[in-house]
Amino acid sequence: MVVLHVKKAEESQFLYETTVAAPLDDVIREVTAIYNGRLKVERICAEMEELADHGVTLPANMQGLTDEQVEELKLRDEWGEKCVPSGGAVYNRDDIGRRNGQAPNDKMKEVLKKTVSEAKALISKKQVQANVQVTRQLVKNALDQLRGATMIVYPMGLPPHDPIRMELEDNEDLSGTQASLQVIPEDQASLWFSGKEMQRGKVLRDYVGKNEKTKIVTKIQKKGQGAPGREPVFSEEEKKQMMLHAYRKQEEMKKLAEENDDAYLNSDWADSGKLKQDLHGIRNVSWRPR
């Protein structure tokens, strides 16, 4: 199986496994779905951490308002009254006024936090270092875990305007957000390998050959952005080692410069007596009787 090490710019994303006979249309579609799926999991995890700390999201017309303003405008959060966490709520004010402050109790909070941690681990970029491939099924498993935890803590469901519910129902609206710039629509996605765009309509072997045990670095980006930057000659770890070696060499030269010109006379090789002993093979010989 061919392993694609998928990157966005210089940052590793995940490993994807396929065959050299795979049509590039299918490869691009799968890689893009996994890439966008991982972004969705990350967005939901970020929102669930806020959910665990401050409860459900307020309606758009109540967000950012003070209690006095809400009272003056006679606004009411009907969904907040319906969506009470299991075991009761613990008030924890949201300073930015985005959530209603009715947070789950410690036990339910732990359910959310633990699930978030597990979901992040499934799609983590560290999976590349562990040589673990990420699939659409793995992304789906992470989403199912997050959905399950939400149902446990909020069995009556979340408000329809809550971003977690909207994400899980594929109704999210990312327009005007930083997240919208990260998402790559499948029809706008392109894969690059060795400085060349992998053209749809071809198969993978047209670019990587017939060897099924190949591992390549590919870069995903939107069409029309030009060729991505080439891979650096040295990795970050190699750069660190080179800098460390240069620093040590510099310190050695500095130490030699500070030493007295006659300091070499204290060395073993400059002692004529020790040199003679070495030649006769009697160095470190003890003459004392046993």
Side-chain angles (χ1 to χ4, degrees):
M1 300 293 283
V2 179
V3 176
L4 275 61
H5 179 181
V6 181
K7 289 188 172 184
K8 182 73 167 66
E10 301 300 327
E11 191 173 2
S12 293
Q13 299 295 320
F14 57 91
L15 300 180
Y16 172 73
E17 195 173 67
T18 185
T19 67
V20 294
L24 277 170
D25 290 82
D26 295 345
V27 173
I28 293 173
R29 182 171 58 252
E30 287 291 305
V31 168
T32 306
I34 294 170
Y35 172 79
N36 289 330
R38 290 179 65 256
L39 292 177
K40 177 187 280 288
V41 171
E42 290 174 354
R43 292 195 301 270
I44 295 175
C45 286
E47 291 291 347
M48 284 187 67
E49 289 177 342
E50 291 295 316
L51 177 69
D53 290 333
H54 303 294
V56 298
T57 306
L58 290 167
N61 64 343
M62 293 180 64
Q63 292 184 17
L65 300 181
T66 63
D67 294 338
E68 292 77 12
Q69 290 172 324
V70 170
E71 185 176 349
E72 182 181 348
L73 295 172
K74 298 180 180 179
L75 299 177
R76 181 183 174 190
D77 181 14
E78 296 181 0
W79 282 99
E81 297 172 3
K82 298 176 184 177
C83 301
V84 180
S86 298
V90 178
Y91 186 73
N92 183 21
R93 181 182 177 81
D94 183 5
D95 292 334
I96 62 175
R98 185 165 174 263
R99 294 181 175 271
N100 68 359
Q102 300 298 320
N105 60 33
D106 290 343
K107 184 178 180 180
M108 293 295 102
K109 181 185 293 187
E110 181 60 27
V111 171
L112 293 175
K113 297 275 190 180
K114 182 178 180 182
T115 305
V116 165
S117 178
E118 292 173 351
K120 284 182 176 180
L122 282 177
I123 54 94
S124 171
K125 295 173 183 177
K126 294 181 180 179
Q127 297 284 49
V128 174
Q129 300 172 356
N131 201 32
V132 175
Q133 284 78 38
V134 176
T135 63
R136 292 181 74 170
Q137 183 60 48
L138 200 63
V139 173
K140 182 179 181 299
N141 291 345
L143 291 172
D144 288 343
Q145 287 184 14
L146 295 171
R147 182 181 290 106
T150 303
M151 293 176 65
I152 291 173
V153 181
Y154 290 90
M156 74 299 294
L158 295 172
H161 55 265
D162 193 284
I164 297 174
R165 176 172 171 175
M166 295 173 68
E167 289 276 8
L168 292 173
E169 294 178 351
D170 294 329
N171 293 325
E172 68 271 20
D173 181 12
L174 303 178
S175 56
T177 66
Q178 183 66 30
S180 66
L181 302 177
Q182 298 176 317
V183 175
I184 301 178
E186 191 273 325
D187 60 341
Q188 298 180 29
S190 63
L191 277 182
W192 290 72
F193 165 61
S194 191
K196 297 179 181 178
E197 184 177 359
M198 304 172 84
Q199 299 295 331
R200 297 171 187 259
K202 295 187 176 184
V203 295
L204 194 56
R205 73 162 65 93
D206 294 334
Y207 293 92
V208 303
K210 299 179 180 179
N211 187 359
E212 288 283 1
K213 295 184 179 180
T214 304
K215 183 175 182 179
I216 64 172
V217 174
T218 59
K219 294 191 175 183
I220 185 172
Q221 63 180 30
K222 287 185 179 180
K223 291 180 179 179
Q225 293 184 337
R230 290 185 174 274
E231 287 292 289
V233 178
F234 301 105
S235 66
E236 288 299 320
E237 185 60 31
E238 289 172 333
K239 289 180 182 179
K240 290 179 182 178
Q241 293 299 325
M242 291 172 65
M243 292 177 64
L244 180 60
H245 175 75
Y247 174 76
R248 288 174 176 171
K249 195 71 176 177
Q250 182 180 3
E251 291 299 309
E252 289 178 4
M253 297 301 294
K254 188 186 297 183
K255 185 176 179 181
L256 288 173
E258 291 175 353
E259 286 184 348
N260 189 292
D261 292 341
D262 296 331
Y264 72 91
L265 295 175
N266 297 324
S267 304
D268 285 353
W269 59 266
D271 189 333
S272 59
K274 290 183 179 180
L275 181 61
K276 183 176 181 181
Q277 291 175 358
D278 287 338
L279 291 173
H280 288 284
I282 58 175
R283 181 81 176 267
N284 297 326
V285 175
S286 177
W287 301 100
R288 295 181 180 179
R290 296 181 180 178

PDB file of all heavy atoms in Angstrom, residues 14 27-39 135-136 139 184 186 189 220:
ATOM      1  N   PHE A  14      -1.834  14.308   8.405  1.00  0.00           N
ATOM      2  CA  PHE A  14      -2.165  12.905   8.680  1.00  0.00           C
ATOM      3  C   PHE A  14      -1.555  12.011   7.615  1.00  0.00           C
ATOM      4  O   PHE A  14      -1.016  12.487   6.603  1.00  0.00           O
ATOM      5  CB  PHE A  14      -3.692  12.705   8.723  1.00  0.00           C
ATOM      6  CG  PHE A  14      -4.400  13.132   7.465  1.00  0.00           C
ATOM      7  CD1 PHE A  14      -4.634  12.243   6.426  1.00  0.00           C
ATOM      8  CD2 PHE A  14      -4.862  14.440   7.316  1.00  0.00           C
ATOM      9  CE1 PHE A  14      -5.278  12.641   5.266  1.00  0.00           C
ATOM     10  CE2 PHE A  14      -5.514  14.844   6.165  1.00  0.00           C
ATOM     11  CZ  PHE A  14      -5.720  13.939   5.132  1.00  0.00           C
ATOM     12  N   VAL A  27      -8.742   9.628  -4.664  1.00  0.00           N
ATOM     13  CA  VAL A  27      -7.750   9.979  -3.644  1.00  0.00           C
ATOM     14  C   VAL A  27      -7.980  11.402  -3.145  1.00  0.00           C
ATOM     15  O   VAL A  27      -7.996  11.658  -1.935  1.00  0.00           O
ATOM     16  CB  VAL A  27      -6.321   9.838  -4.206  1.00  0.00           C
ATOM     17  CG1 VAL A  27      -5.293  10.365  -3.201  1.00  0.00           C
ATOM     18  CG2 VAL A  27      -6.015   8.382  -4.539  1.00  0.00           C
ATOM     19  N   ILE A  28      -8.177  12.341  -4.070  1.00  0.00           N
ATOM     20  CA  ILE A  28      -8.385  13.742  -3.682  1.00  0.00           C
ATOM     21  C   ILE A  28      -9.670  13.879  -2.865  1.00  0.00           C
ATOM     22  O   ILE A  28      -9.715  14.609  -1.864  1.00  0.00           O
ATOM     23  CB  ILE A  28      -8.426  14.641  -4.930  1.00  0.00           C
ATOM     24  CG1 ILE A  28      -7.053  14.657  -5.600  1.00  0.00           C
ATOM     25  CG2 ILE A  28      -8.857  16.063  -4.560  1.00  0.00           C
ATOM     26  CD1 ILE A  28      -7.014  15.382  -6.934  1.00  0.00           C
ATOM     27  N   ARG A  29     -10.721  13.164  -3.292  1.00  0.00           N
ATOM     28  CA  ARG A  29     -11.984  13.234  -2.558  1.00  0.00           C
ATOM     29  C   ARG A  29     -11.826  12.704  -1.133  1.00  0.00           C
ATOM     30  O   ARG A  29     -12.298  13.327  -0.170  1.00  0.00           O
ATOM     31  CB  ARG A  29     -13.060  12.440  -3.291  1.00  0.00           C
ATOM     32  CG  ARG A  29     -14.425  12.498  -2.601  1.00  0.00           C
ATOM     33  CD  ARG A  29     -15.530  11.901  -3.438  1.00  0.00           C
ATOM     34  NE  ARG A  29     -15.268  10.505  -3.783  1.00  0.00           N
ATOM     35  CZ  ARG A  29     -14.932  10.094  -5.008  1.00  0.00           C
ATOM     36  NH1 ARG A  29     -14.812  10.961  -6.001  1.00  0.00           N
ATOM     37  NH2 ARG A  29     -14.716   8.818  -5.254  1.00  0.00           N
ATOM     38  N   GLU A  30     -11.136  11.576  -0.963  1.00  0.00           N
ATOM     39  CA  GLU A  30     -10.955  10.979   0.363  1.00  0.00           C
ATOM     40  C   GLU A  30     -10.058  11.853   1.246  1.00  0.00           C
ATOM     41  O   GLU A  30     -10.374  12.093   2.410  1.00  0.00           O
ATOM     42  CB  GLU A  30     -10.344   9.584   0.222  1.00  0.00           C
ATOM     43  CG  GLU A  30     -11.290   8.529  -0.299  1.00  0.00           C
ATOM     44  CD  GLU A  30     -12.368   8.199   0.713  1.00  0.00           C
ATOM     45  OE1 GLU A  30     -12.019   7.855   1.854  1.00  0.00           O
ATOM     46  OE2 GLU A  30     -13.555   8.318   0.371  1.00  0.00           O
ATOM     47  N   VAL A  31      -8.956  12.306   0.684  1.00  0.00           N
ATOM     48  CA  VAL A  31      -8.013  13.121   1.454  1.00  0.00           C
ATOM     49  C   VAL A  31      -8.679  14.426   1.898  1.00  0.00           C
ATOM     50  O   VAL A  31      -8.526  14.860   3.047  1.00  0.00           O
ATOM     51  CB  VAL A  31      -6.742  13.414   0.619  1.00  0.00           C
ATOM     52  CG1 VAL A  31      -5.891  14.497   1.288  1.00  0.00           C
ATOM     53  CG2 VAL A  31      -5.921  12.142   0.448  1.00  0.00           C
ATOM     54  N   THR A  32      -9.449  15.041   1.004  1.00  0.00           N
ATOM     55  CA  THR A  32     -10.137  16.292   1.348  1.00  0.00           C
ATOM     56  C   THR A  32     -11.186  16.062   2.423  1.00  0.00           C
ATOM     57  O   THR A  32     -11.337  16.877   3.350  1.00  0.00           O
ATOM     58  CB  THR A  32     -10.798  16.899   0.097  1.00  0.00           C
ATOM     59  OG1 THR A  32      -9.820  17.044  -0.931  1.00  0.00           O
ATOM     60  CG2 THR A  32     -11.399  18.262   0.415  1.00  0.00           C
ATOM     61  N   ALA A  33     -11.920  14.942   2.312  1.00  0.00           N
ATOM     62  CA  ALA A  33     -12.942  14.634   3.319  1.00  0.00           C
ATOM     63  C   ALA A  33     -12.308  14.429   4.696  1.00  0.00           C
ATOM     64  O   ALA A  33     -12.838  14.888   5.711  1.00  0.00           O
ATOM     65  CB  ALA A  33     -13.720  13.392   2.911  1.00  0.00           C
ATOM     66  N   ILE A  34     -11.179  13.741   4.732  1.00  0.00           N
ATOM     67  CA  ILE A  34     -10.483  13.521   6.010  1.00  0.00           C
ATOM     68  C   ILE A  34      -9.951  14.842   6.557  1.00  0.00           C
ATOM     69  O   ILE A  34     -10.081  15.139   7.752  1.00  0.00           O
ATOM     70  CB  ILE A  34      -9.333  12.510   5.831  1.00  0.00           C
ATOM     71  CG1 ILE A  34      -9.888  11.127   5.472  1.00  0.00           C
ATOM     72  CG2 ILE A  34      -8.490  12.421   7.104  1.00  0.00           C
ATOM     73  CD1 ILE A  34      -8.836  10.128   5.056  1.00  0.00           C
ATOM     74  N   TYR A  35      -9.365  15.642   5.678  1.00  0.00           N
ATOM     75  CA  TYR A  35      -8.817  16.939   6.095  1.00  0.00           C
ATOM     76  C   TYR A  35      -9.910  17.828   6.695  1.00  0.00           C
ATOM     77  O   TYR A  35      -9.759  18.371   7.792  1.00  0.00           O
ATOM     78  CB  TYR A  35      -8.170  17.628   4.889  1.00  0.00           C
ATOM     79  CG  TYR A  35      -7.736  19.044   5.154  1.00  0.00           C
ATOM     80  CD1 TYR A  35      -6.551  19.315   5.837  1.00  0.00           C
ATOM     81  CD2 TYR A  35      -8.518  20.125   4.736  1.00  0.00           C
ATOM     82  CE1 TYR A  35      -6.157  20.626   6.087  1.00  0.00           C
ATOM     83  CE2 TYR A  35      -8.126  21.428   4.988  1.00  0.00           C
ATOM     84  CZ  TYR A  35      -6.951  21.672   5.664  1.00  0.00           C
ATOM     85  OH  TYR A  35      -6.564  22.958   5.934  1.00  0.00           O
ATOM     86  N   ASN A  36     -11.027  17.959   5.994  1.00  0.00           N
ATOM     87  CA  ASN A  36     -12.133  18.781   6.500  1.00  0.00           C
ATOM     88  C   ASN A  36     -12.793  18.152   7.725  1.00  0.00           C
ATOM     89  O   ASN A  36     -13.253  18.863   8.627  1.00  0.00           O
ATOM     90  CB  ASN A  36     -13.175  18.990   5.399  1.00  0.00           C
ATOM     91  CG  ASN A  36     -12.673  19.911   4.294  1.00  0.00           C
ATOM     92  OD1 ASN A  36     -11.859  20.802   4.537  1.00  0.00           O
ATOM     93  ND2 ASN A  36     -13.154  19.698   3.080  1.00  0.00           N
ATOM     94  N   GLY A  37     -12.852  16.818   7.765  1.00  0.00           N
ATOM     95  CA  GLY A  37     -13.426  16.129   8.921  1.00  0.00           C
ATOM     96  C   GLY A  37     -12.624  16.378  10.183  1.00  0.00           C
ATOM     97  O   GLY A  37     -13.194  16.570  11.273  1.00  0.00           O
ATOM     98  N   ARG A  38     -11.311  16.405  10.054  1.00  0.00           N
ATOM     99  CA  ARG A  38     -10.465  16.688  11.212  1.00  0.00           C
ATOM    100  C   ARG A  38     -10.701  18.117  11.718  1.00  0.00           C
ATOM    101  O   ARG A  38     -10.731  18.364  12.920  1.00  0.00           O
ATOM    102  CB  ARG A  38      -8.986  16.506  10.861  1.00  0.00           C
ATOM    103  CG  ARG A  38      -8.578  15.063  10.622  1.00  0.00           C
ATOM    104  CD  ARG A  38      -7.108  14.920  10.247  1.00  0.00           C
ATOM    105  NE  ARG A  38      -6.249  15.317  11.340  1.00  0.00           N
ATOM    106  CZ  ARG A  38      -5.592  16.478  11.385  1.00  0.00           C
ATOM    107  NH1 ARG A  38      -5.714  17.347  10.397  1.00  0.00           N
ATOM    108  NH2 ARG A  38      -4.819  16.763  12.411  1.00  0.00           N
ATOM    109  N   LEU A  39     -10.868  19.046  10.783  1.00  0.00           N
ATOM    110  CA  LEU A  39     -11.164  20.426  11.182  1.00  0.00           C
ATOM    111  C   LEU A  39     -12.491  20.509  11.932  1.00  0.00           C
ATOM    112  O   LEU A  39     -12.614  21.233  12.927  1.00  0.00           O
ATOM    113  CB  LEU A  39     -11.211  21.329   9.945  1.00  0.00           C
ATOM    114  CG  LEU A  39      -9.890  21.560   9.196  1.00  0.00           C
ATOM    115  CD1 LEU A  39     -10.131  22.412   7.962  1.00  0.00           C
ATOM    116  CD2 LEU A  39      -8.848  22.203  10.101  1.00  0.00           C
ATOM    117  N   THR A 135      -8.380   7.571   8.705  1.00  0.00           N
ATOM    118  CA  THR A 135      -9.379   7.255   7.690  1.00  0.00           C
ATOM    119  C   THR A 135     -10.656   8.046   7.952  1.00  0.00           C
ATOM    120  O   THR A 135     -10.829   8.648   9.024  1.00  0.00           O
ATOM    121  CB  THR A 135      -9.712   5.758   7.705  1.00  0.00           C
ATOM    122  OG1 THR A 135     -10.296   5.427   8.989  1.00  0.00           O
ATOM    123  CG2 THR A 135      -8.458   4.918   7.501  1.00  0.00           C
ATOM    124  N   ARG A 136     -11.569   8.015   6.993  1.00  0.00           N
ATOM    125  CA  ARG A 136     -12.865   8.673   7.195  1.00  0.00           C
ATOM    126  C   ARG A 136     -13.624   8.005   8.332  1.00  0.00           C
ATOM    127  O   ARG A 136     -14.358   8.668   9.075  1.00  0.00           O
ATOM    128  CB  ARG A 136     -13.677   8.618   5.902  1.00  0.00           C
ATOM    129  CG  ARG A 136     -13.102   9.455   4.789  1.00  0.00           C
ATOM    130  CD  ARG A 136     -13.943   9.415   3.527  1.00  0.00           C
ATOM    131  NE  ARG A 136     -15.162  10.187   3.666  1.00  0.00           N
ATOM    132  CZ  ARG A 136     -15.963  10.472   2.643  1.00  0.00           C
ATOM    133  NH1 ARG A 136     -15.663  10.058   1.417  1.00  0.00           N
ATOM    134  NH2 ARG A 136     -17.057  11.179   2.829  1.00  0.00           N
ATOM    135  N   VAL A 139     -12.405   9.389  11.604  1.00  0.00           N
ATOM    136  CA  VAL A 139     -12.995  10.710  11.836  1.00  0.00           C
ATOM    137  C   VAL A 139     -14.441  10.565  12.290  1.00  0.00           C
ATOM    138  O   VAL A 139     -14.901  11.251  13.209  1.00  0.00           O
ATOM    139  CB  VAL A 139     -12.902  11.571  10.563  1.00  0.00           C
ATOM    140  CG1 VAL A 139     -13.659  12.888  10.754  1.00  0.00           C
ATOM    141  CG2 VAL A 139     -11.453  11.851  10.209  1.00  0.00           C
ATOM    142  N   ILE A 184     -11.455  23.352   2.854  1.00  0.00           N
ATOM    143  CA  ILE A 184     -11.207  23.257   1.414  1.00  0.00           C
ATOM    144  C   ILE A 184     -12.335  22.447   0.777  1.00  0.00           C
ATOM    145  O   ILE A 184     -12.424  21.240   1.002  1.00  0.00           O
ATOM    146  CB  ILE A 184      -9.853  22.591   1.116  1.00  0.00           C
ATOM    147  CG1 ILE A 184      -8.712  23.372   1.762  1.00  0.00           C
ATOM    148  CG2 ILE A 184      -9.632  22.482  -0.395  1.00  0.00           C
ATOM    149  CD1 ILE A 184      -7.344  22.742   1.557  1.00  0.00           C
ATOM    150  N   GLU A 186     -14.297  20.127  -1.742  1.00  0.00           N
ATOM    151  CA  GLU A 186     -13.717  19.016  -2.511  1.00  0.00           C
ATOM    152  C   GLU A 186     -13.458  19.407  -3.965  1.00  0.00           C
ATOM    153  O   GLU A 186     -12.429  19.039  -4.540  1.00  0.00           O
ATOM    154  CB  GLU A 186     -14.671  17.819  -2.433  1.00  0.00           C
ATOM    155  CG  GLU A 186     -14.060  16.522  -2.968  1.00  0.00           C
ATOM    156  CD  GLU A 186     -14.235  16.354  -4.472  1.00  0.00           C
ATOM    157  OE1 GLU A 186     -15.287  16.786  -4.981  1.00  0.00           O
ATOM    158  OE2 GLU A 186     -13.317  15.824  -5.127  1.00  0.00           O
ATOM    159  N   ALA A 189     -10.180  21.435  -4.245  1.00  0.00           N
ATOM    160  CA  ALA A 189      -8.972  20.870  -3.642  1.00  0.00           C
ATOM    161  C   ALA A 189      -7.984  20.402  -4.708  1.00  0.00           C
ATOM    162  O   ALA A 189      -8.379  19.942  -5.787  1.00  0.00           O
ATOM    163  CB  ALA A 189      -9.339  19.704  -2.737  1.00  0.00           C
ATOM    164  N   ILE A 220      -1.850  19.466   0.365  1.00  0.00           N
ATOM    165  CA  ILE A 220      -3.209  19.810  -0.028  1.00  0.00           C
ATOM    166  C   ILE A 220      -3.408  21.315   0.081  1.00  0.00           C
ATOM    167  O   ILE A 220      -2.931  21.950   1.020  1.00  0.00           O
ATOM    168  CB  ILE A 220      -4.248  19.060   0.845  1.00  0.00           C
ATOM    169  CG1 ILE A 220      -5.661  19.331   0.342  1.00  0.00           C
ATOM    170  CG2 ILE A 220      -4.105  19.420   2.321  1.00  0.00           C
ATOM    171  CD1 ILE A 220      -6.718  18.480   1.031  1.00  0.00           C
TER     172      ILE A 220
END
